[in-house]
Amino acid sequence: SAPPWRSGSAERPLQPVNLLELEEAAARVIPAAGFDYIAGGAGDEWTLRENRAAFERRQIVQRVLTGKVVADTATEILGTPIALPTIVAPMGGQAIAHVSAEAGTARGAAAAGTLHTVSTVATLSLEDAARAADGPKWFQIYLTRDDGFNAELLQRARAAGYGAIVLTVDVPIVGNRERDRRNGFVYPPAAAPRNFLDAAGRLRPIERAFQPRLDADSIAFVRRHGGLPVVVKGIATAEDALLALDAGAAAIQVSNHGGRQLDGAPAAFTVLPEVAAAVQGRVPLILDGGIRRGADVFKALASGADVVALGRPVLYGLALGGWQGVQSVFQHLEDELRTVMQLAGAATVADIRRTRLYG
Ligand code: FNR
């Protein structure tokens, strides 16, 4: 039998100087192949790096004579109030990072006053992940080739109290993750996705089971069987945004999967204005990819995003401090955002959206 997977098990608040430094600390806690799976991207990892670099090419305007004082960072997304304009991106297999897995992330997000997205390939079943905390939550679905199973997952998500379905469309095939190939990485048994257990307790085959053919009908299917608002995640062009909108998307998540899929694609932040111009405010926009600082959140909102979603830093916080680590990550980001807002003359999230950037 396989040796036990030694993920993080600490339960403590963190006091990061910034979220970037958490990566190095987490690398000392998460087994190397698991860390590479989390931190890595596709191919040369150019898009992974570009997701960060793109933020550095736009500048925030200093405004210090407006007479404004930061009021709060609260906002809402699809009718759900959140304490800051940052939610948790869906990420599978969270037992790779910490023994509490998605339960820790759910609890940390709820403590921080924000929304958590549970992945199809979560370690915990969607029911257990939902029970872990009473904060707002969405369920992310990857469509498989088995429509019966897809419909079953969607009905389970609705029954478990999820408020929306996030349909991820940028994994018609898994990207070329060279770190994982080098490490021969597969999810360890401890992180096996429980949603895929069959009645006999056996794991159904997963990656080969993903549906590569995705189009407007896929969105219609998820709307019909889920009976919940559908967030289409993995949009990076005006064309796909309009297709999603026509098919009834309730929100669009601009994303390149954190640089894990199409290497050489532009940064998510780079394509955000194009998608915003196409969507014209008809549905809310969520941006993910490379958000590490309050300044990044500010720039994304000033460029057309309604909220942003945070990926890897959440898993690093989880690995280092369990649910309290996750809470600390969001608290830190909120602190940074408040400082930036004050220096840029924005008292509220609505003010940020009206702000112009340089560059
Ligand atoms: C992901 N992502 C992801 N997305 C999704 O829709 N379903 C999933 O199961 C996963 N799983 C997953 C695992 C890990 C380890 C990572 C790092 C990412 C993508 C994720 O939702 C998001 O798009 C990016 O992580 C955002 O980029 P940053 O914040 O990590 O730079």
Side-chain angles (χ1 to χ4, degrees), residues 90-92 119 140 142 168 233 255 257 260 288 290 292 311-312:
M91 289 175 288
S119 166
Q140 177 267 328
Y142 285 125
T168 298
K233 173 175 184 278
S255 173
H257 216 92
R260 301 162 73 80
D288 75 53
R292 299 293 179 269
R312 296 175 181 88

Side-chain angles (χ1 to χ4, degrees), residues 28 83 104-106 177-178 217 226 277 309 317 324 350 359:
R28 292 193 288 269
T105 301
R177 319 246 177 104
E178 295 188 359
D217 290 344
Q324 296 179 77

Side-chain angles (χ1 to χ4, degrees), residues 10-342:
E11 300 280 358
R12 62 180 172 111
L14 307 173
Q15 279 162 348
V17 171
N18 60 57
L19 298 189
L20 293 155
E21 72 180 24
L22 291 180
E23 178 163 309
E24 222 185 291
R28 292 193 288 269
V29 169
I30 305 169
F35 174 79
D36 272 349
Y37 168 70
I38 294 169
D44 291 319
E45 301 189 336
W46 183 85
T47 298
L48 173 64
R49 290 188 298 276
E50 177 68 4
N51 273 351
R52 292 273 325 121
F55 284 113
E56 293 171 359
R57 293 195 296 268
R58 300 274 281 156
Q59 297 107 46
I60 301 168
V61 180
Q62 173 173 298
R63 288 300 311 280
V64 288
L65 280 176
T66 62
K68 288 194 179 184
V69 173
V70 174
D72 70 279
T73 59
T75 186
E76 61 86 29
I77 183 72
L78 293 180
T80 300
I82 46 179
L84 75 167
T86 309
I87 64 173
V88 181
M91 289 175 288
Q94 298 191 5
I96 293 167
H98 192 267
V99 290
S100 66
E102 292 78 17
T105 301
R107 205 172 150 196
T114 194
L115 186 151
H116 175 218
T117 312
V118 174
S119 166
T120 300
V121 291
T123 298
L124 300 185
S125 71
L126 66 90
E127 289 84 3
D128 284 346
R131 269 192 291 270
D134 52 14
K137 53 207 157 256
W138 292 347
F139 179 69
Q140 177 267 328
I141 192 163
Y142 285 125
L143 291 177
T144 67
R145 293 170 199 259
D146 179 347
D147 271 343
F149 181 62
N150 298 333
E152 189 186 306
L153 270 183
L154 290 165
Q155 280 146 22
R156 284 171 57 192
R158 188 175 187 179
Y162 288 88
I165 301 294
V166 178
L167 169 62
T168 298
V169 294
D170 59 7
V171 191
I173 185 170
V174 176
N176 171 31
R177 319 246 177 104
E178 295 188 359
R179 295 198 209 196
D180 294 348
R181 283 169 50 211
R182 201 168 285 123
N183 295 330
F185 181 75
V186 291
Y187 276 25
R194 309 282 198 275
N195 285 327
F196 283 79
L197 291 182
D198 66 18
R202 281 183 306 255
L203 210 58
R204 305 178 206 228
I206 302 168
E207 287 186 352
R208 271 178 309 150
F210 285 180
Q211 173 60 266
R213 184 194 305 270
L214 296 165
D215 56 20
D217 290 344
S218 318
I219 298 170
F221 178 93
V222 173
R223 287 180 67 198
R224 195 162 64 245
H225 290 276
L228 291 168
V230 177
V231 179
V232 179
K233 173 175 184 278
I235 297 294
T237 58
E239 291 89 336
D240 278 350
L242 293 176
L243 277 165
L245 213 57
D246 284 348
I252 285 174
Q253 189 151 343
V254 175
S255 173
N256 55 34
H257 216 92
R260 301 162 73 80
Q261 287 293 100
L262 180 60
D263 191 43
F269 181 60
T270 301
V271 300
L272 174 64
E274 164 180 330
V275 175
V279 169
Q280 295 274 323
R282 281 172 286 183
V283 298
L285 291 185
I286 303 159
L287 173 97
D288 75 53
I291 298 283
R292 299 293 179 269
R293 288 193 173 277
D296 306 331
V297 179
F298 189 100
K299 289 174 187 176
L301 267 56
S303 305
D306 290 278
V307 305
V308 300
L310 193 61
R312 296 175 181 88
V314 176
L315 292 186
Y316 300 148
L318 182 70
L320 294 164
W323 73 268
Q324 296 179 77
V326 172
Q327 181 185 21
S328 300
V329 163
F330 282 98
Q331 278 172 344
H332 178 81
L333 202 60
E334 183 178 326
D335 287 347
E336 278 193 19
L337 178 61
R338 282 175 180 274
T339 302
V340 174
M341 287 170 73
Q342 188 59 58

